[in-house]
Amino acid sequence: VAETGTSAVRGLLNWQVSNSTDAARLTMRKDRGTVVGTPAVVTTSDKMGMIMAEGYDGSAYRESASIEFGTSGTIGTNRVPSYIALSTSTDAAPSVLTEAVRIDNQQRVGIGTNNPVSKLHITGLSNTVASSVKLQGSIYSGINFQSDDANTDNRNWQTLTNSNNLGSFGILQSN
């Protein structure tokens, strides 16, 4: 703790001073042992560490956001596959801590899903609420979908719109 006054900004400081590429780090460890110094192997779905933010609502501190580090996949000698999950609290009463983004052990990113099946997997809130992705550029914005599946003849689909909102829209399909 750098400052204990009531109006100063305070927090934790971890400082690396060296002429190298090493960095300061925060390490959180997890094992399933029951005695310090006698570690036991973690299992899939164990939480290895968490950074939690809580806010006071007038009667109690409530979990409001978190970053969770957990295990997933097959644990073995020299490997502990993992995931990172980012969660935020809803505006419901009471607030519910809800996972928003996950990076899994295959480096797939899920937004709105904790089980991504592609490099970027975006899921809407429900079947009645549409998901959307916004790309913004200086002149043209667009998104390019490409299939590398041999069964689709490597087709490409591209959408383009201009940024001055004149209503131009194009879809290009090519092999």
Side-chain angles (χ1 to χ4, degrees):
V1 176
E3 171 65 45
T4 58
T6 58
S7 62
V9 177
R10 54 195 163 272
L12 300 174
L13 173 63
N14 190 355
W15 190 344
Q16 173 76 28
V17 180
S18 64
N19 186 13
S20 69
T21 59
D22 294 335
R25 67 188 213 182
L26 169 67
T27 301
M28 294 177 260
R29 288 187 172 172
K30 162 73 176 176
D31 70 65
R32 288 217 162 213
T34 57
V35 177
V36 174
T38 309
V41 177
V42 292
T43 61
T44 291
S45 299
D46 278 358
K47 294 177 183 175
M48 295 185 292
M50 180 179 282
I51 299 171
M52 176 67 68
E54 296 181 342
Y56 189 71
D57 68 359
S59 63
Y61 285 96
R62 306 288 180 199
E63 295 179 346
S64 297
S66 70
I67 304 172
E68 176 182 301
F69 308 91
T71 61
S72 63
T74 304
I75 314 298
T77 302
N78 295 319
R79 75 170 188 215
V80 179
S82 62
Y83 67 86
I84 301 172
L86 307 174
S87 297
T88 59
S89 58
T90 63
D91 195 21
S95 288
V96 177
L97 199 60
T98 305
E99 186 172 312
V101 177
R102 178 177 290 237
I103 304 171
D104 73 5
N105 64 17
Q106 295 179 47
Q107 287 71 56
R108 298 177 298 202
V109 177
I111 300 173
T113 178
N114 63 6
N115 189 25
V117 296
S118 59
K119 282 295 182 188
L120 177 60
H121 183 162
I122 301 172
T123 301
L125 299 174
S126 70
N127 291 335
T128 60
V129 179
S131 297
S132 66
V133 176
K134 180 177 182 180
L135 302 174
Q136 187 170 343
S138 58
I139 298 175
Y140 290 101
S141 294
I143 188 164
N144 185 10
F145 300 95
Q146 179 175 351
S147 173
D148 292 328
D149 186 343
N151 296 324
T152 62
D153 300 324
N154 284 332
R155 290 191 174 103
N156 292 295
W157 296 271
Q158 184 175 25
T159 63
L160 291 173
T161 57
N162 63 11
S163 61
N164 58 15
N165 294 320
L166 294 178
S168 300
F169 179 75
I171 298 177
L172 169 67
Q173 178 179 351
S174 63
N175 291 24

